[in-house]
Amino acid sequence: MKNLRPRLAVDMDEVIADALTAQRLWYKDVHGYQWTENELRGRHLGDLATPEHAAGMQALLHDGHFFGDLDVMPGAQNALEFLSQYFDIFITTAAMEYPASCAPKFQWLQKNFPFIPTLNIVFCGHKSILAADFLIDDNVRNFQNFRGQGILFSAPHNLNVEWSPRVANWKDAVSYLMQMHPETDAP
């Protein structure tokens, strides 16, 4: 029997987990960087730091524990809990970039999103393998060969990227998705 509920795939970092704030704090505390929002526009932090300092951040990310203490993106918990009434939600993270992050990310999800079934958590490499109707992600590269609709979640590094649809926050994401849902009206 065919599943009638649309499938919503949701990225973790910079979509439901605030990795950017934690990384900025590390760069500030360890190396004294204090970048402005304008300096961050269209750039990754590693592009703004010295190669040695960027390598230190990469080592921290490869260790994996960094991912276990991130703050939740504003509105993400309430939005996903609401959307779970209308969509089958899958958390889909390209964790193979940092394999040691899998256990910390899984624990973080259990703590912050206990309503997401554990079988709906996908650690993957290429997101083109996902069989979902929608994918909310902050990197357009993850929409390549994805067969559903990619929804770009705004982050400083992607502000110069042309993509539609784009959502600025979880309120916008809920509004867009409810307009796309075949059996509901937008809240």
Side-chain angles (χ1 to χ4, degrees):
M1 180 173 211
K2 186 172 168 109
N3 183 359
L4 299 178
R5 286 165 47 106
R7 287 182 167 189
L8 171 61
V10 179
D11 181 38
M12 282 187 71
D13 301 323
E14 292 315 300
V15 176
I16 62 172
D18 190 357
L20 178 64
T21 297
Q23 288 182 37
R24 284 180 77 177
L25 184 60
W26 181 86
Y27 274 113
K28 179 183 176 209
D29 289 349
V30 175
H31 298 294
Y33 291 105
Q34 293 190 36
W35 296 299
T36 66
E37 297 305 312
N38 195 44
E39 289 173 308
L40 293 176
R41 186 180 182 90
R43 296 185 178 113
H44 293 275
L45 298 181
D47 299 333
L48 298 168
T50 68
E52 297 80 20
H53 297 163
M57 173 52 73
Q58 285 300 307
L60 185 65
L61 297 175
H62 279 286
D63 172 68
H65 291 94
F66 172 85
F67 297 95
D69 281 331
L70 301 176
D71 289 338
V72 176
M73 293 292 279
Q77 289 164 315
N78 290 339
L80 289 184
E81 194 157 21
F82 171 78
L83 290 168
S84 70
Q85 298 172 72
Y86 305 99
F87 295 84
D88 289 335
I89 296 176
F90 294 83
I91 304 302
T92 56
T93 182
M96 296 305 100
E97 293 172 337
Y98 303 106
S101 72
C102 292
K105 283 186 173 197
F106 184 74
Q107 292 163 355
W108 185 90
L109 284 165
Q110 287 185 311
K111 174 185 170 191
N112 294 293
F113 293 86
F115 54 89
I116 302 289
T118 57
L119 294 179
N120 288 25
I121 298 171
V122 181
F123 296 112
C124 61
H126 293 288
K127 294 187 181 181
S128 62
I129 66 157
L130 300 174
D133 299 290
F134 302 96
L135 169 60
I136 300 177
D137 206 298
D138 65 306
N139 282 302
V140 294
R141 73 170 188 251
N142 290 318
F143 304 147
Q144 186 176 9
N145 299 319
F146 174 68
R147 293 188 176 129
Q149 175 63 62
I151 303 166
L152 185 61
F153 198 90
S154 287
H157 70 85
N158 69 30
L159 292 178
N160 295 336
V161 172
E162 292 291 326
W163 186 268
S164 183
R166 175 191 286 269
V167 295
N169 52 47
W170 274 103
K171 181 180 177 187
D172 288 355
V174 168
S175 179
Y176 176 80
L177 287 163
M178 295 310 291
Q179 290 174 17
M180 296 295 104
H181 194 279
E183 299 174 10
T184 62
D185 295 320

